[in-house]
Amino acid sequence: AGAVPGWALLRWLPQALTHLPSVPELLDPMLGLAATLPQAVFWPLQLASHKDVIGNRAEVFRPLWAALERSGAPIKTALTFTRALECLTHPDKRYEAEMKPFKENLLRNPVEAKKKWRTLWRKVFEMRDHTGVAGLVHQGFGQRCQQVVRELGPRVGLVTSSEDLADADLIPA
């Protein structure tokens, strides 16, 4: 029997990606498909690679991602676009990305922590410039976040009611 052509997997690509870890024979036709039709492979591969998908398939999918990179398809642009869509539809994704650098600097570098807090406040909590349905989702999320940080502030010894943090709160006495 001859090799299975990659295009034959197009219709069953999500299922093939699901079974790739346990059926390694699927890899060669999928690599061929990634080289010849990278656009067809990218979105299903990205969905199958998502961290919420059961099982860690990063190692198994690594050759497919490499084949997509070699294909010359605008993979980085597509990934950036997808992350932007996630931030648009899931404001909590943006919050996590903005909160991490603030937390990292909170104890080590108070000056940088204040800058990160200001950015966090403007991008996540304030949300004045967002309109439309997506904007309303972000505004609602920002208002809920403001309430949470206002309640949390006194418990951790920070005044968290605006974009500015007091130096006295950040610098140990």
Side-chain angles (χ1 to χ4, degrees):
V4 176
W7 61 264
L9 293 174
L10 275 176
R11 181 173 180 176
W12 297 281
L13 190 53
Q15 292 87 342
L17 288 167
T18 299
H19 294 290
L20 184 58
S22 58
V23 185
E25 293 81 9
L26 291 170
L27 184 59
D28 283 340
M30 291 176 70
L31 286 170
L33 189 59
T36 57
L37 297 168
Q39 306 89 328
V41 174
F42 176 79
W43 298 111
L45 180 59
Q46 187 177 19
L47 287 172
S49 299
H50 196 272
K51 68 179 181 179
D52 293 337
V53 174
I54 297 172
N56 184 358
R57 302 177 186 160
E59 196 61 39
V60 175
F61 290 163
R62 194 175 318 260
L64 289 170
W65 283 112
L68 288 174
E69 290 285 337
R70 287 190 303 274
S71 75
I75 301 305
K76 295 211 184 313
T77 302
L79 288 169
T80 301
F81 176 73
T82 304
R83 278 192 290 278
L85 282 177
E86 282 182 346
C87 287
L88 179 65
T89 56
H90 300 285
D92 53 305
K93 298 283 186 195
R94 218 175 67 250
Y95 170 77
E96 293 167 8
E98 296 293 337
M99 186 58 132
K100 184 179 178 187
F102 169 70
K103 285 180 180 178
E104 289 171 353
N105 284 290
L106 190 56
L107 297 175
R108 290 190 321 230
N109 187 343
V111 173
E112 193 61 28
K114 285 177 71 168
K115 290 178 189 175
K116 298 297 181 189
W117 178 260
R118 187 170 291 118
T119 300
L120 177 68
W121 187 271
R122 290 177 180 169
K123 286 186 173 181
V124 178
F125 301 156
E126 222 168 49
M127 302 302 296
R128 282 184 274 164
D129 299 332
H130 287 61
T131 59
V133 174
L136 293 176
V137 169
H138 286 268
Q139 287 175 3
F141 180 78
Q143 289 166 355
R144 288 189 304 279
C145 285
Q146 280 184 33
Q147 184 62 35
V148 168
V149 296
R150 281 190 185 112
E151 292 169 3
L152 181 65
R155 289 191 281 179
V156 296
L158 291 173
V159 177
T160 55
S161 58
S162 75
E163 68 181 48
D164 294 313
L165 294 176
D167 287 337
D169 290 344
L170 295 174
I171 300 171

